[in-house]
Amino acid sequence: MIEIKECSKRFGKIQAVNKVTLDICEREVFGLVGSNGAGKSTLLRMAAGIIRPDSGEILIDDSPVYENEEIKKNFFYISDNCYFPSNYTAKDLVEFYKGYYPGFQIQRYKKMMEHFHLDENRKIHTFSKGMKKQLLVILGVSAGTKYLFCDETFDGLDPVMRQAIKSLFASEIMSREFTPVIASHNLRELEEICDHVGLLHKGGVLLSRDLEDMKFHIHKIQCVFTDKKKEQELEKELEILKIQRQGSLMLIVARGTKTEILQRIQAKNPLFCEVIPLTLEEIFISETEVAGYEIKNIFE
């Protein structure tokens, strides 16, 4: 388990991370989302022990991570800005990582390189951005670590490769102790894979929720009533996060189970009623608007 407790980090006048507290449980895909500059990369770098928090602490499996060489063998960090030594090939990188990660699985690495059609003898500086990201994911999975920190890992990948990596992560979680932590500014990118999502904004945590729990307890319904009085009654009976009207059509985003919400609506005898699937982005926008934040365009 990764425990981030009241962590803050400032760079000069910029408060990059401000009193962040998060728990990342084992064998779940944790999505760390937020706009550019929200503090995601700084938080990941602190979790990886690259920089020290100004205050607070980060524990991985109950041990502090900063300047702890033993605990660092339990995770692999993939930076947004990939750096590779000049003239290195993938094969050279494998030799480097084998010396640091005792559980590095060379056969697994070779099999994935074949699957992703990457040449281990080719100079990495000739790879495209997407190919470099693929290579790092392959190395990270092959290292056999318990945790994998990914900073904008899907950025630069085509849709086929994104799906392949998502499937790879799911397979790893099913077969061993494996916890990917994925930082991204794109909620749509994480919706299919994440079990838990934390939303950062201006260095702080707005929300940290289990994705299935969020989807189970918030719903979007469109309905039509002939009686305005029944609409007003419904607004008082439901825990409404957002309501819109398009002519006679009401669009309601409400908190509660689907059964509870539909029972209350059906009791008003609507002419029409339908549940519409909510995207992760819509859920976060609704939740954060209730909290008083105007961040409709935060992910655009």
Side-chain angles (χ1 to χ4, degrees):
M1 183 175 180
I2 300 172
E3 300 170 85
I4 301 171
K5 302 179 179 181
E6 290 288 308
C7 278
S8 296
K9 186 66 182 179
R10 177 182 288 275
F11 299 102
K13 296 181 179 179
I14 300 171
Q15 186 73 51
V17 174
N18 187 25
K19 295 182 180 179
V20 167
T21 296
L22 285 172
D23 287 336
I24 300 173
C25 297
E26 295 176 7
R27 301 188 80 163
E28 70 174 16
V29 183
F30 191 98
L32 193 61
V33 297
S35 60
N36 294 324
K40 304 183 303 297
S41 295
T42 301
L43 188 60
L44 267 192
R45 288 167 68 201
M46 287 193 292
I50 297 169
I51 55 177
R52 186 201 295 267
D54 294 333
S55 60
E57 64 176 346
I58 298 177
L59 304 177
I60 295 182
D61 295 339
D62 298 320
S63 297
V65 65
Y66 190 74
E67 293 186 340
N68 187 337
E69 291 302 313
E70 282 306 306
I71 208 67
K72 287 183 179 182
K73 291 179 181 178
N74 289 336
F75 63 79
F76 191 100
Y77 170 70
I78 300 176
S79 170
D80 181 24
N81 299 313
C82 309
Y83 169 77
F84 301 95
S86 179
N87 292 323
Y88 254 49
T89 64
K91 196 172 182 179
D92 294 327
L93 272 184
V94 169
E95 290 304 311
F96 171 78
Y97 285 121
K98 275 171 59 182
Y100 189 78
Y101 295 106
F104 195 96
Q105 302 167 328
I106 188 66
Q107 293 306 317
R108 188 82 198 282
Y109 153 78
K110 287 182 178 293
K111 186 176 179 180
M112 284 191 287
M113 288 291 283
E114 251 181 66
H115 180 76
F116 283 86
H117 307 291
L118 296 177
D119 181 1
E120 70 170 354
N121 295 306
R122 178 175 165 181
K123 301 291 186 185
I124 300 172
H125 71 79
T126 67
F127 283 13
S128 67
K129 180 179 180 181
M131 292 167 70
K132 290 174 182 176
K133 290 289 177 76
Q134 291 169 46
L135 173 61
L136 284 171
V137 168
I138 289 170
L139 292 170
V141 170
S142 300
T145 59
K146 189 175 179 181
Y147 303 100
L148 180 65
F149 298 148
C150 307
D151 194 357
E152 301 289 358
T153 297
F154 294 109
D155 188 28
L157 297 180
D158 62 57
V160 174
M161 285 299 109
R162 283 182 190 150
Q163 193 57 50
I165 289 174
K166 289 175 184 178
S167 298
L168 176 62
F169 285 173
S171 174
E172 290 297 303
I173 290 171
M174 292 293 289
S175 61
R176 66 181 178 94
E177 285 190 309
F178 181 66
T179 304
V181 181
I182 306 170
S184 177
H185 65 279
N186 192 333
L187 275 168
R188 297 182 187 94
E189 206 168 68
L190 300 181
E191 188 163 8
E192 294 179 2
I193 189 173
C194 286
D195 301 300
H196 195 107
V197 180
L199 173 61
L200 288 187
H201 183 52
K202 294 184 178 179
V205 178
L206 290 189
L207 290 168
S208 178
R209 299 275 179 86
D210 180 84
L211 186 53
E212 284 304 312
D213 183 62
M214 278 197 298
K215 288 185 174 181
F216 184 75
H217 288 99
I218 183 170
H219 297 278
K220 185 177 183 179
I221 302 97
Q222 58 180 5
C223 47
V224 176
F225 293 94
T226 55
D227 190 341
K228 291 291 182 185
K229 185 179 178 181
K230 289 184 178 179
E231 288 186 12
Q232 293 168 359
E233 289 173 356
L234 189 64
E235 288 181 40
K236 293 177 182 177
E237 293 176 13
L238 292 177
E239 189 178 349
I240 293 176
L241 300 178
K242 189 175 182 179
I243 187 166
Q244 291 177 302
R245 287 182 171 82
Q246 298 173 1
S248 60
L249 184 70
M250 284 181 70
L251 288 169
I252 299 169
V253 178
R255 188 176 282 118
T257 67
K258 184 164 69 173
T259 301
E260 292 168 346
I261 294 169
L262 286 177
Q263 281 178 347
R264 291 188 179 276
I265 293 174
Q266 295 292 355
K268 306 296 180 187
N269 297 314
L271 288 176
F272 169 77
C273 178
E274 181 184 27
V275 177
I276 304 172
L278 267 171
T279 65
L280 180 58
E281 186 169 332
E282 286 177 309
I283 291 172
F284 267 112
I285 288 173
S286 298
E287 292 277 15
T288 50
E289 282 179 345
V290 170
Y293 291 92
E294 293 293 335
I295 59 166
K296 290 183 179 180
N297 300 316
I298 193 171
F299 301 108
E300 295 180 1

